[in-house]
Structure formats: C-alpha cells, structure tokens
Amino acid sequence: MNSPLPIRNAAQVSDEDIETQLSIGLRNRWHALCPSGFVADKPLPLYRLGLKLVLWREPDGRVNVQEDYCPHRGAPLSLGKHLGDRLACIYHGVQVGRDGTVISVPGSPGCKLEGQKAVRTFPCREFAGAIFIYVGDALHPEPVAFNPPPQLVSDEYERFLCYTEWHTPYRVLVDNNMDPMHGTFLHKQSHSMAVGDTQAKFSIRNTDIGFVFEKSTQRDVNFDWSEWCDSGAMYVRLDIPYPKSAGPGGSFGIISMSTPIGPRMSAHFFWRNRKVTGWQRDAWKFLYRTRLEARHWHVLEQDRVLVEGLEMDAGDHEALYDHDTGLVRVRRWMREEARKQLTALAEAGLQKSFEKQILTK
Ligand code: FES
Ligand SMILES: [Fe+2]
C-alpha cells in the first residue's frame, strides 16, 4: 500500500510566526547588506536580517560574510584579527577560514574543533557598489539564481548608489516605493515631480517576476508607475521622466532594495540610474554630481521625515483606497511567501530551529 501523502497543516504556521519572519526578512533570497566601501581592512560587524554578521575582505578583494560568532565560546569574531585568508578570534585565538572551517586552535593543537565547519558562512556577491548575501532556510541552503537587472550591472547604464539607514521597519520603505502618488504630493516641490495630474486611476499588470502598478490615466509625465520584482532578490523599479534640461540619456530610474537591521531600523539602497553611454555618460555624471545629487538627497529627506514619522502601529488603522492597491498586493505577496517557507519548514519538523534569530534595536 502506498504511504499516505503528507498532510499540509497550514495551522502550524501562525500569523505571529509569519510576522516574525517578515520582520527579519524572507529567506531563500539574495539581500543587499551594505555599500562595498564599508568593508575595508578590519572585520566589520553588522546586524542584518535577524543575523549577527561579520564581513571581511581578503587581500585579493574577495569579501566573506559569516556569522559573527566564534564556535569556541561565542565571542564576536569581528573583534578578532584579520589574518588575510582567515579570522583569528581575539578571545583564545581560534582561527576560522573563509568557508567557516576552524583552521587552527592555537591553545590546543589537534583538538577536535580543528577541521570542523563550525561557522555559518553566506554565499556572497559584490556588484553595483554593494555587498549581497544569499540567506537560505534549512531546506534551501544552496543559493537561488539572481540575475540583477541591467540597471545594476550593464555598461549601458550609469548608476549611483545612494545608501541610507532609517529608523523605520524596512517594509515601510517598500510601501513607499510602491506608492507613486506620494510623488505628486509629498515631492510636489521637487525639481522633477511638479508636473502632471494630481488625480489618477491605477491598474495592475502582471510580469514574469512580479507586477507593475501603473497609472492608467498618465504615462511618462511624472512618477507614474512602480514595478515589484521578485526573482532571486526582491526589489522595486521605477522611472521618473526627465526634462531635456537634465542632459543626455533616458529617463531617471531607481532600483531600490530595503533590508531589515532591526524591528525599527532598516538599510535602504537606491541605485539611481540612467541609460547613457559614450561621451554623454561623462556629461551626465558631471551634471549629476554637480547639479542634481544634492536635490535628490533633499527629496529623499522628505521621504525619511515622513516614514520615520509614521506610527509603528499605523498599519493597524489604515483607511486604504485604490491608490494603495500596489502596496497591498506586495504585502500579500510577502506574507504568502513567508507562509510557504514556514509551512515547508514546519512539515519538515524544522519550524523552531531553522534559524538562530537575533533581534536587536
Ligand atoms: S571564544 Fe573564540 S577563541 Fe575562545
Ligand atoms: Fe519619495
């Protein structure tokens, strides 16, 4: 007789579990951690995604990202010494290599800790001026494919990474980026968002990796659409048309990613990009640095003040209308992904132990 199919018991995953998972970020994705320039000679401690991490760069430039936890007695490896291809814990000198293997226990050579792969190590990539890691759950330790959008890696685009850390949950920024109408009001004084209609109707168009939330009543005038993308990493893409006075190139694009630091603290990556090549690229870079960058920081400051001013429980008392359909759909998307991940772990008996979660700040 065939053995019965496993019974899916979604009840094993509570709303609270889903909320906890979302507060530290979905698993089985690539996430941006910090700008490349953060990782120089010294080991760098970082809290991200419910994890206590140490980042270090080898002499050849390679970056390693590991749990900031010595397998001997738990000292932060980030306090230790960087020995080129390994870290040495400051407490008793245990040396850990780039793959998490204990290479040496100087105080007790030959002890059983030597040779053990004892430190969690994360697949890591560096591009577009930032460090990314893959964080998988216990069922998905191998990294999923992530082909970054051309705006982040293609020579056809010039990009500037704008990085911020704000006192707000990371999902508030995702909401903000999926809300084109805030451009019309919050940023109405801005140099490039003062035009167009102040009223709009929206529609949703599915794509292979997410959906586009777009005005059906106005296009290529202002911040008229946002695209939610989930293809190995989650990000939002949007475009803001530029007047001729803004120099050569296509419209001004933004790719944004947000990463949790703690329940009320988050890291945000905005890659401001423009399709431009050749001499026009140099002209654009010059124009951007000298005339536009300060204005963009000013616009971003409007966002910061607004989102940091939102009450933590604002989401419990919202009166949403049809302009919020995009962000509602992303919230639902993320909740469903969290539910799927946690249900699979629960069915495998891994619900409570799949991740050591360190919630800070
Ligand atoms: S705690 Fe790291 S060597 Fe002892
Ligand atoms: Fe904004």
Side-chain angles (χ1 to χ4, degrees):
M1 194 175 85
N2 290 336
S3 54
L5 290 171
I7 298 168
R8 289 201 161 262
N9 184 3
Q12 287 175 290
V13 176
S14 67
D15 286 348
E16 196 182 344
D17 286 339
I18 290 171
E19 190 51 38
T20 300
Q21 183 65 69
L22 288 177
S23 73
I24 60 166
L26 282 169
R27 271 27 190 175
N28 312 332
R29 302 285 192 290
W30 289 86
H31 294 274
L33 287 187
C34 67
S36 292
F38 278 26
V39 192
D41 296 341
K42 292 186 179 160
L44 173 75
L46 275 187
Y47 286 106
R48 296 285 186 276
L49 300 151
L51 299 161
K52 190 178 170 191
L53 302 170
V54 56
L55 288 71
W56 51 288
R57 193 181 286 280
E58 298 194 32
D60 67 0
R62 162 209 301 245
V63 173
N64 302 306
V65 181
Q66 298 176 306
E67 205 165 9
D68 194 7
Y69 186 87
C70 176
H72 175 217
R73 290 212 11 241
L77 288 170
S78 56
L79 294 176
K81 277 194 198 145
H82 185 322
L83 301 179
D85 66 342
R86 67 192 71 180
L87 291 180
C89 179
I90 196 170
Y91 210 4
H92 313 94
V94 165
Q95 297 177 8
V96 177
R98 67 169 74 102
D99 68 349
T101 301
V102 175
I103 295 172
S104 165
V105 180
S108 181
C111 84
K112 67 178 191 311
L113 187 55
E114 284 185 349
Q116 281 189 32
K117 201 164 178 178
V119 176
R120 188 176 178 190
T121 300
F122 297 86
C124 175
R125 291 165 72 181
E126 185 172 14
F127 56 86
I131 312 285
F132 300 78
I133 60 166
Y134 170 76
V135 183
D137 63 23
L139 293 171
H140 303 86
E142 294 304 319
V144 299
F146 170 44
N147 293 320
Q151 290 87 348
L152 296 191
V153 291
S154 164
D155 288 344
E156 293 188 340
Y157 287 83
E158 182 61 47
R159 63 197 70 84
F160 302 93
L161 170 60
C162 161
Y163 174 79
T164 61
E165 291 178 12
W166 290 347
H167 294 272
T168 190
Y170 76 99
R171 284 177 285 168
V172 170
L173 249 292
V174 179
D175 287 351
N176 190 60
N177 291 325
M178 289 305 299
D179 168 20
M181 284 309 282
H182 87 270
T184 310
F185 292 91
L186 179 66
H187 303 312
K188 64 173 181 259
Q189 307 294 349
S190 133
H191 65 292
S192 62
M193 281 186 271
V195 295
D197 209 335
T198 55
Q199 298 181 5
K201 295 228 176 298
F202 280 86
S203 59
I204 284 181
R205 177 165 47 89
N206 290 330
T207 68
D208 290 343
I209 58 171
F211 66 90
V212 179
F213 181 59
E214 58 196 346
K215 292 177 187 169
S216 44
T217 45
Q218 176 175 293
R219 186 77 176 187
D220 299 334
V221 176
N222 201 324
F223 175 11
D224 292 332
W225 56 268
S226 294
E227 180 179 0
W228 171 248
C229 306
D230 184 8
S231 62
M234 294 175 297
Y235 58 93
V236 176
R237 191 170 79 83
L238 58 95
D239 262 6
I240 298 172
Y242 255 15
K244 284 215 172 347
S245 61
S251 58
F252 182 72
I254 295 176
I255 301 273
S256 74
M257 285 187 175
S258 294
T259 303
I261 296 176
R264 292 166 185 256
M265 189 79 189
S266 43
H268 307 285
F269 301 77
F270 304 91
W271 286 273
R272 296 158 169 171
N273 60 80
R274 196 166 196 197
K275 194 167 191 179
V276 61
T277 52
W279 68 268
Q280 293 184 328
R281 187 179 190 130
D282 293 331
W284 160 243
K285 279 194 319 201
F286 180 76
L287 181 71
Y288 183 79
R289 290 293 189 204
T290 55
R291 288 196 37 218
L292 295 173
E293 186 172 18
R295 296 189 205 183
H296 287 161
W297 278 104
H298 177 69
V299 173
L300 208 55
E301 182 63 5
Q302 294 169 340
D303 287 305
R304 184 193 67 75
V305 171
L306 191 288
V307 297
E308 288 192 345
L310 291 173
E311 296 294 332
M312 278 294 282
D313 65 349
D316 299 337
H317 310 285
E318 293 169 325
L320 304 176
Y321 51 93
D322 55 349
H323 290 178
D324 305 308
T325 316
L327 63 89
V328 166
R329 184 149 165 179
V330 169
R331 290 175 183 177
R332 200 184 313 141
W333 184 293
M334 292 174 100
R335 286 185 62 78
E336 276 314 302
E337 287 298 310
R339 185 186 302 282
K340 274 192 251 168
Q341 290 182 8
L342 292 172
T343 300
L345 288 164
E347 288 175 351
L350 295 165
Q351 185 178 11
K352 296 297 178 199
S353 59
F354 75 102
E355 187 80 81
K356 183 164 61 180
Q357 294 167 356
I358 304 164
L359 294 171
T360 58
K361 299 187 184 175

